[in-house]
């Protein structure tokens, strides 16, 4: 499975990442490993090793890769490997990207194809864009967050 989180609202993307981290039991669940890596500090060989190596004692691996769209070689490798990565049930790859990604980007297009309609496809890739909130949506979000924290805003 591949999950792409990106957009101008970095707080919302990071909040979604935290939900994913907790949902997949990355906080100490047995049979599960989790790593968070910065693409700029990672070589192609290191990325390949992370994606291929699986411990005998681990059922699943959550790998969070930040800012891969700025690392051309890594991005191309992932774009060329989307099909095999989406078919590997033991790897959950989360791509966390700051800012906007051009609609013409090859990796974004590849992920969007796998995140397309149909129940089977939705389980192998998801793409979440967090656009900048306009004033009305920001007000709604503040009220919702306040309510979740037990604070009433009037």
């Amino acid at each position: 499975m591949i999950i792409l989180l990106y957009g101008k609202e970095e707080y919302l993307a990071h909040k979604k990442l935290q939900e994913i981290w907790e949902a997949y039991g990355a906080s100490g669940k047995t049979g599960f490993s989790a790593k968070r890596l910065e693409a700029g500090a990672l070589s192609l060989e290191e990325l390949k090793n992370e994606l291929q190596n699986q411990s005998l004692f681990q059922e699943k691996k959550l790998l969070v890769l930040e800012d891969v769209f700025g690392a051309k070689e890594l991005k191309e490798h992932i774009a060329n490997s989307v099909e095999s990565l989406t078919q590997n049930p033991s790897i959950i790859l989360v791509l966390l990207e700051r800012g906007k990604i051009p609609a013409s980007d090859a990796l974004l297009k590849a992920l969007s194809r796998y995140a397309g309609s149909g129940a089977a496809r939705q389980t192998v890739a998801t793409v979440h864009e967090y656009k900048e909130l306009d004033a009305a949506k920001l007000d709604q979000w503040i009220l919702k967050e306040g309510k979740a924290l037990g604070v009433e805003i009037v």
Side-chain angles (χ1 to χ4, degrees), residues 4-148:
L4 172 61
L5 309 173
Y6 75 100
K8 291 191 172 199
E9 288 294 337
E10 289 182 34
Y11 175 81
L12 297 177
H14 279 87
K15 187 171 181 177
K16 182 66 175 178
L17 175 60
Q18 186 64 35
E19 290 173 16
I20 293 167
W21 194 267
E22 292 170 2
Y24 285 104
S27 57
K29 193 176 191 180
T30 56
F32 200 95
S33 72
K35 272 191 179 176
R36 189 169 176 169
L37 303 167
E38 175 64 43
L42 196 64
S43 72
L44 180 57
E45 283 306 310
E46 290 170 321
L47 175 62
K48 287 179 180 179
N49 287 337
E50 288 294 339
L51 293 172
Q52 293 171 352
N53 291 346
Q54 190 72 19
S55 168
L56 294 174
F57 305 107
Q58 295 168 340
E59 297 170 19
K60 289 199 180 246
K61 180 180 201 175
L62 175 63
L63 181 61
V64 177
L65 190 56
E66 295 186 48
D67 300 321
V68 74
F69 283 77
K72 185 180 178 190
E73 192 176 34
L74 302 182
K75 183 178 89 164
E76 287 175 359
H77 175 72
I78 294 170
N80 293 332
S81 305
V82 165
E83 185 173 355
S84 63
L85 289 169
T86 57
Q87 293 175 0
N88 185 345
S90 63
I91 296 281
I92 301 158
L93 177 62
V94 179
L95 306 174
L96 180 63
E97 191 68 25
R98 291 167 181 81
K100 189 162 175 57
I101 299 172
S104 61
D105 186 89
L107 179 53
L108 179 59
K109 284 181 176 181
L111 292 173
S112 295
R113 277 193 302 274
Y114 280 89
S117 61
R121 289 199 140 187
Q122 289 177 349
T123 59
V124 296
T126 57
V127 175
H128 299 276
E129 180 179 8
Y130 296 95
K131 296 179 181 178
E132 194 168 23
L133 300 176
D134 62 27
K137 287 183 180 177
L138 183 59
D139 286 345
Q140 290 174 349
W141 179 82
I142 290 170
L143 291 172
K144 179 182 165 191
E145 288 297 304
K147 188 174 184 177

